[in-house]
């Protein structure tokens, strides 16, 4: 019988390319990974790796075994699913990968909600941006991933997962309350009114940075960027001290310093969607189903009436499955893996 943990190391080597990367992923030393891979070769009686100097590559047999490992892990996951379904009550660990700006408004209440309804279920949260969260999901180091997509960017779908939209999160302009464009509370701001003010944005090649740049260019100007940072709270602090403009998701602008005001923008389609993602075929596992149910309930309770029609639906994505659909009688391995 092959050791599943060693198979996972081989699978991760195929995905990440180096022993060092696999060691960092699992929190062990590279020599420990190499030793386990050599033991796997001994177990199989087959050369799985080619070593050239300090480089290492999978042989054809190694590639095949790495691919077959996904089938093994899926079968184990389905067996666990059937076991837990027989028990009924969700138990054990539920691992959530969550992007930073959703930690306080979504992940924290989720832990409280699950504690109140499922005493035997323990939530474990890992902070991760969407791409990293999907990797954790596919590596079976997370059970649910919270993701976001900016609607003005052509973000490709993630293979191997199925998602549902929990809520929409419109972008708002955060600026000094004495700025001429601020106006009365609730009045939308035309981004063109902010063309001559200094901006704070996320760095280029980040989703938020690209979304803001695209939004400004679509109305005819490129923002004068004074500061760049990835932390929304830091952006807001810099805006309060320097009078700069920021465009951030409303979820990140709930607690503003007294000198700042958040205003909607005239382009009501300028939003990001908040999505829950799971591996194909796992949405009905008791712990994951309980987590998804709680996430939907939290989203329903915090979403404005005006947004309700745009939430709790499936993403328009041919690779996305309905997480609310009835459980299939005979689960099968998804071709999107």
């Amino acid at each position: 019988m092959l050791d599943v943990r060693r198979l996972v190391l081989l699978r991760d080597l195929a995905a990440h390319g180096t022993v060092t990367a696999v060691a960092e992923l699992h929190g062990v030393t590279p020599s420990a990974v190499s030793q386990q891979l050599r033991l796997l070769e001994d177990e199989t009686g087959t050369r799985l790796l080619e070593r050239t100097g300090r480089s290492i590559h999978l042989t054809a047999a190694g590639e095949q075994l790495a691919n077959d490992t996904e089938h093994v892990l899926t079968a184990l996951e389905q067996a666990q699913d059937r076991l837990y379904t027989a028990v009924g009550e969700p138990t054990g660990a539920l691992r959530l990968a969550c992007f930073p700006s959703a930690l306080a408004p979504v992940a924290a209440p989720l832990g409280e909600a699950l504690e109140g309804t499922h005493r035997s279920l323990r939530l474990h949260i890992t902070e991760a941006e969407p791409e990293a969260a999907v990797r954790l999901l596919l590596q079976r180091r997370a059970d649910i991933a919270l993701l976001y997509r900016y609607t003005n960017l052509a973000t490709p779908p993630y293979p191997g997962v199925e998602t549902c939209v929990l809520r929409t999160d419109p972008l708002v302009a955060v600026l000094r309350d004495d700025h001429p464009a601020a106006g009365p509370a609730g009045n939308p701001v035309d981004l063109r009114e902010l063309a001559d003010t200094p901006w704070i944005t996320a760095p280029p090649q980040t989703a938020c940075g690209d979304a803001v740049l695209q939004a400004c260019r679509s109305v005819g100007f490129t923002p004068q960027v004074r500061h760049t940072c990835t932390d929304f709270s830091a952006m807001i602090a810099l805006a309060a001290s320097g009078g700069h403009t920021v465009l951030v998701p409303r979820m990140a602008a709930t607690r503003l310093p007294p000198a700042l005001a958040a205003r909607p923008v005239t382009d009501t389609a300028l939003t990001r969607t908040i999505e829950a993602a799971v591996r194909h075929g796992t949405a009905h596992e008791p712990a994951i189903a309980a987590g998804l149910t709680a996430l939907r309930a939290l989203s329903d309770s915090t979403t404005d009436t005006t947004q309700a029609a745009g939430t709790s639906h499936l993403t328009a994505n041919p690779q996305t499955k309905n997480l609310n659909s009835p459980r299939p009688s005979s689960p099968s391995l998804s071709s999107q893996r």
Side-chain angles (χ1 to χ4, degrees):
M1 181 71 69
L2 299 180
D3 189 298
V4 174
R5 292 169 297 180
R6 291 170 187 157
L7 290 173
V8 169
L9 293 177
L10 184 72
R11 187 276 312 268
D12 290 343
L13 180 62
H16 296 278
T18 68
V19 169
T20 300
V22 176
E24 290 176 353
L25 186 65
H26 290 272
V28 297
T29 64
S31 60
V33 172
S34 296
Q35 181 184 29
Q36 292 301 311
L37 291 173
R38 282 193 293 269
L39 289 172
L40 181 61
E41 286 187 305
D42 292 342
E43 283 181 331
T44 61
T46 305
R47 191 162 65 94
L48 304 174
L49 306 170
E50 291 179 339
R51 298 171 178 85
T52 307
R54 303 184 69 176
S55 299
I56 189 168
H57 305 281
L58 272 67
T59 63
E63 292 280 1
Q64 183 61 58
L65 185 57
N67 291 334
D68 288 342
T69 295
E70 286 298 329
H71 297 262
V72 172
L73 296 175
T74 298
L76 289 172
E77 205 163 55
Q78 291 172 349
Q80 179 177 282
D81 181 15
R82 289 189 289 271
L83 177 63
Y84 286 163
T85 300
V87 173
E89 175 65 19
T91 61
L94 177 65
R95 300 162 299 174
L96 176 73
C98 177
F99 58 92
S101 59
L103 286 171
V106 180
L110 175 64
E112 186 176 356
L114 290 175
E115 184 177 340
T117 55
H118 302 290
R119 293 287 183 179
S120 300
L121 193 59
R122 302 184 309 278
L123 182 66
H124 296 267
I125 300 169
T126 299
E127 179 182 320
E129 289 287 346
E131 287 190 5
V134 170
R135 284 198 300 272
L136 292 173
L137 201 59
L138 296 178
Q139 293 163 358
R140 291 170 173 78
R141 302 177 68 198
D143 303 304
I144 301 175
L146 285 182
L147 315 176
Y148 59 76
R149 295 177 191 271
Y150 287 90
T151 54
N152 66 336
L153 298 179
T155 305
Y158 294 106
V161 303
E162 50 192 82
T163 66
C164 67
V165 175
L166 298 173
R167 60 183 293 184
T168 56
D169 190 16
L171 270 63
V172 296
V174 176
L175 57 166
R176 291 286 292 264
D177 55 13
D178 57 358
H179 192 287
N187 276 23
V189 173
D190 189 320
L191 291 182
R192 284 169 287 204
E193 298 178 73
L194 306 174
D196 296 327
T197 61
W199 283 67
I200 305 166
T201 70
Q205 283 78 57
T206 62
C208 181
D210 289 347
V212 171
L213 183 61
Q214 174 63 24
C216 293
R217 286 180 172 172
S218 69
V219 296
F221 75 96
T222 298
Q224 304 173 23
V225 179
R226 184 70 56 83
H227 306 302
T228 60
C229 62
T230 57
D231 186 278
F232 289 141
S233 60
M235 288 184 187
I236 290 169
L238 288 169
S241 64
H244 307 320
T245 295
V246 297
L247 189 64
V248 297
R250 188 170 62 184
M251 183 184 288
T254 54
R255 293 183 178 86
L256 296 178
L260 295 182
R263 295 289 184 265
V265 296
T266 53
D267 183 0
T268 57
L270 189 57
T271 67
R272 68 176 182 176
T273 58
I274 309 301
E275 305 174 6
V278 299
R279 291 182 300 281
H280 279 306
T282 64
H284 297 285
E285 293 182 10
I288 295 175
L292 291 172
T293 298
L295 283 169
R296 293 189 190 100
L298 287 169
S299 297
D300 290 343
S301 67
T302 58
T303 301
D304 292 342
T305 304
T306 56
Q307 293 177 279
T311 58
S312 299
H313 58 76
L314 291 178
T315 52
N317 171 358
Q319 296 187 8
T320 298
K321 286 187 176 181
N322 189 336
L323 300 189
N324 296 299
S325 59
R327 180 177 181 159
S329 57
S330 57
S332 60
L333 183 66
S334 167
S335 61
Q336 297 299 324
R337 292 186 186 279

